Every structure is written in structure tokens, then in C-alpha cells.
Amino acid sequence: MQIFVRQPSGVTDVLDLEEGAWYDAVLAGLNLDTETCYLTSGGAVLSPDSHIQDLATVEVQGRVVGGKVHGSLARAGKVRNQTPKVEKNTEGAKKKLAGRAKRREQYTKRFVNVVVGPGKKRGPNSNADKK
């Protein structure tokens, strides 16, 4: 059986192997260790008892050392837990209008409900009558 072995360095080797113990032969032929690498074919991880076809491409993948966590998990959720809880104010909480409804209210306030009185017209921020 003949297979192609693609190494992490990009080099592709062609190996002639026997049907039965191909996994160990690949590792021994390339001087690889199962602790530092593993074999894949077509995106699937291969084990010593898995079967592959003739002329298949097997890729050598390096194992990634894991288990390190930045920061302590003892402090997880610290900010949320120390933030004071604020209850929602449901009394008299009227949502402000937005979009078309807001423009409609502005139109009504400025042009429809106009009270014409004596004297000069006051602006919208005038506090003349609130003394």
C-alpha cells in the first residue's frame, strides 16, 4: 500500500507500507512520537486501528499544549457581583416617543394647538409665565 504523508514543514513523503500496521510504520518511518503529534486524513483524526485507502494523503499535525488560563477563575463575575442592583421604576415611567410618533407630537404642539395671545410670540424655552 502506498500513501502520501504531509508533514507540518510542508514536505510530502511517499511511503510504501503493509496493510496491517501502517500507523506505527508511518510514525517509525518519519521518527515521530505519538506524544507530540497525531495523524489526520480528510479532516478526521486517525487511530492505530483505523483503515485508510491506497494512495491516501495522511497529514501529520502537532499537538497543542493547553490547560493554561489567564487570570484566576476565583474572580470570575467580580464586576457584576459588586455592582449594586437597581430596581426598575414602574410608576409613571412613560416611554419617550420615537420616529414618526415623535414628529407627530412636535407638529401638534407647534402648529395645531397654537394659542394666539396678545404681545410678542414666546419661544419654546421661555420661562416668562413660570415666576
Side-chain angles (χ1 to χ4, degrees), residues 100-112:
R100 179 198 55 81
K102 182 177 180 182
R103 295 290 180 209
R104 181 178 182 219
E105 187 177 88
Q106 283 178 348
Y107 172 79
T108 306
K109 188 187 293 183
R110 292 178 185 171
F111 301 111
V112 176

Side-chain angles (χ1 to χ4, degrees), residues 38-59:
Y38 61 97
L39 302 177
T40 62
S41 178
V45 178
L46 300 174
S47 63
D49 59 334
S50 59
H51 300 285
I52 59 170
Q53 298 176 352
D54 191 24
L55 300 176
T57 301
V58 175
E59 296 183 18

Side-chain angles (χ1 to χ4, degrees), residues 11-103:
V11 177
T12 302
D13 296 323
V14 180
L15 298 178
D16 291 319
L17 306 171
E18 298 177 14
E19 282 288 326
W22 66 270
Y23 191 88
D24 296 328
V26 168
L27 294 176
L30 298 175
N31 296 328
L32 299 174
D33 184 20
T34 56
E35 298 294 322
T36 60
C37 64
Y38 61 97
L39 302 177
T40 62
S41 178
V45 178
L46 300 174
S47 63
D49 59 334
S50 59
H51 300 285
I52 59 170
Q53 298 176 352
D54 191 24
L55 300 176
T57 301
V58 175
E59 296 183 18
V60 178
Q61 305 285 335
R63 292 193 186 275
V64 178
V65 178
K68 306 229 180 198
V69 177
H70 290 284
S72 172
L73 292 179
R75 293 189 300 266
K78 171 184 169 252
V79 173
R80 183 176 180 184
N81 290 336
Q82 71 185 13
T83 304
K85 177 75 172 146
V86 178
E87 296 294 328
K88 287 187 176 180
N89 185 7
T90 57
E91 293 181 25
K94 184 178 178 186
K95 187 172 77 170
K96 290 187 176 181
L97 296 176
R100 179 198 55 81
K102 182 177 180 182
R103 295 290 180 209

